[in-house]
Amino acid sequence: MKQNLNDAQMQAVLHREGPMLVLAGPGSGKTTVITRRIENLIKNKIASPSEILVITFTKAAAGEMKERFLRLMPQEGRRVTFGTFHAVFFMILKYAYHFEASSILREEEKVQLMREMITSMHLDYDDETEFIQGILSEISMVKNGRIALEHYYPVNCGKDVFYRIYKEYQQFLKRHRKIDFDDMLVYTYELFAERKDILLAWQKKYRYILIDEFQDVNQIQYEIVRMLTERERNLFVVGDDDQSIYRFRGAKPEIMLHMPKAYPDLKIINLPYNYRCPKDVVAMADKIISHNRERFQKEIWAAKEQNTGITFEIFPTGREANEKVIERIRQGEIPYEQTAILFRTNVQARMLMEQLLAYNIPFKMRDRVPNIYEHWIAKDIFAYIRLAQGSRQRRDFLMIMNRPKRYLSRESLDTEMVRFDAWQAFYSEQPWVGERIEKLRADLYAISKMRPFAAVNYIRKAVGYDEFIREYAKFRKIEEDGLYDILEELQESTKGYVSYEEWFLHIEQYKEELERLQKQQQITKEAVTLATFHSAKGLEFEAVHIIDVNEGCTPYKKAVLPPEMEEERRMFYVALTRTKNELHLYASEKINNHETEISRFIIEARERQSSSN
Ligand code: ATP
Ligand code: MG
């Protein structure tokens, strides 16, 4: 089913030599134009398949594009290279340095290595997992930003410690001939800068380079692409600044918008028709995005004549909203694989997944959704409960003894079992510490008599865990919101369970169900897609359900400054424009027991005149 292209699309598809930028809105055929242009290049013998390189930002997107293209050209298609930046650059490094797939330091190996390193250094930290993640993301930042180590000021530990860790980490990689993901970019950049002969070989090999979602490019990726296309100058990029939602990760949409300066002979094409979305969806999305000030104004008209009749409903709670989603999915005609449920953050997926499991609706997750019950915060709460239930395990106690701060030292805890009496004797010199232990003992007793919901609440408010989180976030200079989200979700998940045993059993079963589902996902295609706004980008579905269209969720509560709010608006814009047919929006009066307002984006959509005029 090959569509008839419109004039603007045709112009892009038939483009031959020189740089081109297709700057156009959602559903306008940008990705389509890429595949059709490749076909044209091959059919008209302008390029041979092996001279064409197509880059996208995620592995999934690369796979989907390849599939889409193979339907057009099953034979020659196989010789076209489709990949992510990382995959393509790794291939280049492989030739230069004889790396193998086993040379890549996998994520688990990275964590394990870091664990061994910090253990041997005898460092001081609260939570090992958190510390390791923090350090690893800082290392990544240094590499991607091409920051000189001496100009970098770490937040997770002192400067000296960070240098030691960084240096040791790099030495390990070198010694074992390993590279991590960030090194792929850095090394390719350095390789091309130093070895003009190698660069020339790749310039000759890939005479035509096409890149999708170019608004997501970061500095180092762009520099490499520039080098690669210096000779042939056949760079063809498509993107939409209104869909740039990775700024927090270093994506720079201004690179795309400033291309006319970098490439004076650049041709720019706008594709003015949205072929994907019903008319009312195009109008709504357009109205909302026009509230952003920092944007490149583009024309976009709906190619479809019909309206879908967008629904927006408010429910007392999120659980009831999810029930409605499920009811619609079960009663409607649209197959599971053409249905998506979208949300702003992963945390929102927990309740939804539990409900889908209960109804036996198969689903697949675009993102690796972390099991919140495995988060360190959940583990702390479980430790409190186990102690309240009589556990005297040293590891349970170690987890919570200074959460909140009680100024208890590890050294004083020298046996495997915790004996409160011995402890109190140990601290008898310091009565105020003794008092804290007594208070903890009383708290644990109180918790032992409670139901799960009350217990979590008690740990947070009366024991002081919320306060601990606040200080923890402040000290680490991280957002406390995300941590509170975990606590709220955890507390929410206790609802309906009258004993700890019941709740723990449910958590066990949930874990097993998830594992079963993940295995099953590899075999079944007929499943509803669950995705964050981020990972829904580029996709389309017959029916799209967006949950928690509330202030605090979308826009997310941490967005305060105008640039952050504009990014939230772009995310919502991406979400809305995924639908080919139905669009259902759901809000709640309460989210995790807090009263909430409906999203400002809904109010913007209802305004009679957009405020940008
Ligand atoms: P996004 O910005 O969301 O990535 P896009 O610009 O890449 O969107 P595509 O995914 O290429 O848009 O196209 C959107 C839908 O419109 C697809 O289903 C595609 O098949 C269809 N389409 C594109 N061009 C035409 C056309 N000329 N006639 C009919 N349908 C078209
Ligand atoms: Mg696309």
Side-chain angles (χ1 to χ4, degrees):
M1 31 125 233
K2 222 151 105 180
Q3 301 100 355
N4 291 322
L5 300 177
N6 66 39
D7 288 349
Q9 290 178 324
M10 208 55 157
Q11 208 187 330
V13 167
L14 297 180
H15 174 68
R16 287 180 162 237
E17 308 280 307
M20 175 172 274
L21 163 65
V22 177
L23 182 54
S28 60
K30 295 184 297 299
T31 306
T32 307
V33 157
I34 286 196
T35 52
R36 294 287 290 270
R37 177 165 185 260
I38 311 170
E39 181 194 35
N40 186 61
L41 289 173
I42 297 172
K43 280 211 169 130
N44 291 315
K45 307 237 176 318
I46 302 167
S48 81
S50 59
E51 289 175 323
I52 300 172
L53 171 64
V54 191
I55 302 177
T56 58
F57 280 81
T58 65
K59 215 171 144 187
E64 273 152 27
M65 176 118 78
K66 184 169 184 174
E67 216 173 276
R68 224 158 134 171
F69 181 68
L70 285 179
R71 266 180 258 140
L72 285 176
M73 298 192 99
Q75 295 296 321
E76 304 91 324
R78 307 225 156 263
R79 289 169 50 223
V80 176
T81 308
F82 289 87
T84 61
F85 277 109
H86 285 100
V88 171
F89 295 166
F90 183 63
M91 171 187 71
I92 289 170
L93 293 173
K94 227 157 66 177
Y95 280 102
Y97 301 116
H98 308 287
F99 281 125
E100 288 167 15
S102 59
S103 316
I104 303 172
L105 190 69
R106 284 178 291 118
E107 215 45 41
E108 317 87 79
E109 294 176 314
K110 212 163 144 175
V111 171
Q112 184 54 30
L113 168 63
M114 202 44 79
R115 182 169 295 133
E116 283 162 22
M117 274 171 46
I118 62 174
T119 309
S120 69
M121 286 182 185
H122 302 288
L123 301 175
D124 189 31
Y125 46 81
D126 279 340
D127 183 85
E128 191 187 68
T129 315
E130 276 281 289
F131 183 73
I132 291 174
Q133 287 307 340
I135 294 287
L136 285 176
S137 73
E138 289 199 73
I139 291 178
S140 177
M141 213 143 73
V142 168
K143 289 182 176 181
N144 268 298
R146 296 186 51 71
I147 304 171
L149 201 54
E150 56 274 21
H151 295 145
Y152 183 73
Y153 291 89
V155 293
N156 283 286
C157 58
K159 215 170 157 170
D160 296 348
V161 173
F162 184 74
Y163 289 8
R164 259 177 72 202
I165 298 179
Y166 188 97
K167 292 238 163 73
E168 203 162 303
Y169 176 71
Q170 284 308 97
Q171 273 162 11
F172 175 92
L173 295 185
K174 245 202 184 126
R175 252 196 333 270
H176 294 85
R177 282 188 56 75
K178 293 255 181 195
I179 57 172
D180 69 14
F181 256 66
D182 307 311
D183 288 337
M184 292 183 195
L185 306 185
V186 179
Y187 287 8
T188 308
Y189 178 87
E190 286 169 357
L191 176 70
F192 284 171
E194 284 157 22
R195 293 287 304 270
K196 293 296 165 205
D197 54 328
I198 293 181
L199 174 61
L200 183 65
W202 288 104
Q203 286 172 336
K204 285 183 180 167
K205 158 125 181 82
Y206 288 127
R207 293 179 45 233
Y208 288 83
I209 298 183
L210 301 92
I211 309 178
D212 200 1
E213 308 271 3
F214 197 62
Q215 74 277 358
D216 290 334
V217 78
N218 73 22
Q219 195 62 40
I220 188 163
Q221 291 164 337
Y222 175 64
E223 310 255 330
I224 300 170
V225 167
R226 251 188 96 88
M227 290 196 265
L228 260 181
T229 53
E230 223 160 40
R231 188 184 132 99
E232 300 285 331
R233 303 185 57 76
N234 290 320
L235 176 61
F236 183 94
V237 299
V238 311
D240 177 7
D241 58 312
D242 285 333
Q243 294 186 68
S244 131
I245 54 177
Y246 281 106
R247 293 182 198 211
F248 71 97
R249 266 210 228 147
K252 284 192 176 171
E254 54 280 16
I255 289 176
M256 177 176 79
L257 297 176
H258 294 164
M259 271 181 80
K261 262 197 216 130
Y263 295 87
D265 54 339
L266 179 78
K267 289 209 177 80
I268 304 181
I269 288 188
N270 172 241
L271 310 177
Y273 295 102
N274 179 330
Y275 288 96
R276 177 186 299 141
C277 312
K279 206 169 177 175
D280 47 349
V281 174
V282 175
M284 178 180 183
D286 199 47
K287 215 163 162 191
I288 293 173
I289 200 68
S290 70
H291 284 75
N292 272 5
R293 303 206 155 268
E294 209 189 302
R295 66 184 290 247
F296 184 86
Q297 189 84 29
K298 297 174 287 295
E299 285 180 52
I300 189 97
W301 288 298
K304 290 185 177 171
E305 274 304 313
Q306 75 279 22
N307 290 324
T308 174
I310 304 163
T311 69
F312 172 69
E313 292 147 289
I314 306 171
F315 295 85
T317 65
R319 183 173 292 277
E320 284 152 285
N322 292 347
E323 290 291 327
K324 183 72 190 179
V325 175
I326 291 171
E327 184 192 312
R328 278 217 173 87
I329 292 175
R330 277 155 56 99
Q331 289 176 356
E333 313 261 281
I334 296 176
Y336 288 160
E337 67 272 22
Q338 275 301 326
T339 301
I341 310 175
L342 309 180
F343 33 82
R344 168 67 180 82
T345 67
N346 261 327
V347 190
Q348 294 163 258
R350 197 263 325 156
M351 185 160 65
L352 180 65
M353 294 195 300
E354 291 185 12
Q355 287 174 269
L356 288 167
L357 285 170
Y359 279 98
N360 242 323
I361 297 181
F363 59 90
K364 55 186 169 204
M365 296 165 286
R366 287 288 293 193
D367 317 66
R368 222 191 68 74
V369 176
N371 181 347
I372 67 152
Y373 300 123
E374 278 164 15
H375 194 277
W376 60 267
I377 289 182
K379 289 184 181 158
D380 282 355
I381 301 293
F382 298 158
Y384 265 110
I385 293 175
R386 277 196 301 270
L387 290 163
Q389 286 179 307
S391 157
R392 290 294 173 265
Q393 293 288 328
R394 185 173 189 264
R395 64 182 151 77
D396 283 341
F397 202 81
L398 279 176
M399 280 173 85
I400 57 102
M401 69 179 190
N402 285 315
R403 298 178 167 200
K405 267 247 169 298
R406 297 186 180 92
Y407 304 95
L408 307 178
S409 63
R410 276 170 190 245
E411 290 72 45
S412 59
L413 197 67
D414 56 358
T415 56
E416 269 311 300
M417 288 294 163
V418 181
R419 286 186 42 232
F420 281 100
D421 306 338
W423 257 59
Q424 266 168 309
F426 183 87
Y427 282 116
S428 59
E429 310 268 293
Q430 301 161 300
W432 58 93
V433 179
E435 268 166 37
R436 282 194 200 103
I437 294 174
E438 198 39 53
K439 157 107 170 47
L440 175 60
R441 204 141 79 148
D443 281 340
L444 291 175
Y445 179 75
I447 295 168
S448 74
K449 302 283 173 217
M450 289 175 183
R451 290 192 174 186
F453 185 84
V456 177
N457 198 42
Y458 187 87
I459 295 167
R460 294 181 60 181
K461 303 291 184 307
V463 178
Y465 196 83
D466 271 8
E467 183 60 22
F468 156 72
I469 289 292
R470 208 176 60 78
E471 281 179 2
Y472 177 89
K474 199 165 112 196
F475 180 67
R476 287 284 165 87
K477 296 196 180 66
I478 54 175
E479 297 283 345
E480 56 189 57
D481 285 347
L483 302 176
Y484 283 129
D485 283 350
I486 303 277
L487 272 169
E488 299 277 339
E489 270 301 309
L490 204 66
Q491 193 171 351
E492 185 69 24
S493 87
T494 58
K495 282 194 178 160
Y497 298 101
V498 293
S499 70
Y500 296 128
E501 287 71 26
E502 249 183 68
W503 186 41
F504 286 162
L505 182 69
H506 163 74
I507 291 170
E508 254 334 286
Q509 284 170 343
Y510 175 71
K511 206 173 121 194
E512 279 166 24
E513 280 287 305
L514 271 189
E515 278 163 14
R516 182 185 61 79
L517 200 89
Q518 264 147 11
K519 280 196 202 110
Q520 182 192 315
Q521 258 177 39
Q522 288 143 11
I523 37 180
T524 170
K525 275 205 145 176
E526 284 148 29
V528 171
T529 295
L530 263 54
T532 58
F533 297 169
H534 279 105
S535 47
K537 194 150 60 65
L539 305 180
E540 56 186 24
F541 303 89
E542 285 292 326
V544 168
H545 303 261
I546 306 179
I547 59 170
D548 297 330
V549 185
N550 284 99
E551 285 292 296
C553 285
T554 176
Y556 191 56
K557 55 192 162 226
K558 76 165 205 279
V560 183
L561 303 172
E564 295 164 343
M565 190 52 75
E566 298 209 347
E567 178 116 336
E568 294 290 322
R569 199 174 276 111
R570 286 190 294 270
M571 280 177 225
F572 192 60
Y573 180 74
V574 168
L576 290 175
T577 55
R578 296 309 95 201
T579 186
K580 293 204 260 184
N581 190 353
E582 291 183 18
L583 177 63
H584 303 287
L585 309 174
Y586 306 80
S588 327
E589 283 161 15
K590 276 188 176 178
I591 290 181
N592 292 340
N593 296 317
H594 301 297
E595 305 275 339
T596 55
E597 305 280 318
I598 63 167
S599 170
R600 73 188 64 192
F601 302 146
I602 295 293
I603 295 162
E604 291 170 2
R606 286 173 177 167
E607 280 171 15
R608 303 189 81 209
Q609 277 290 312
S610 87
S611 69
S612 68
N613 298 332

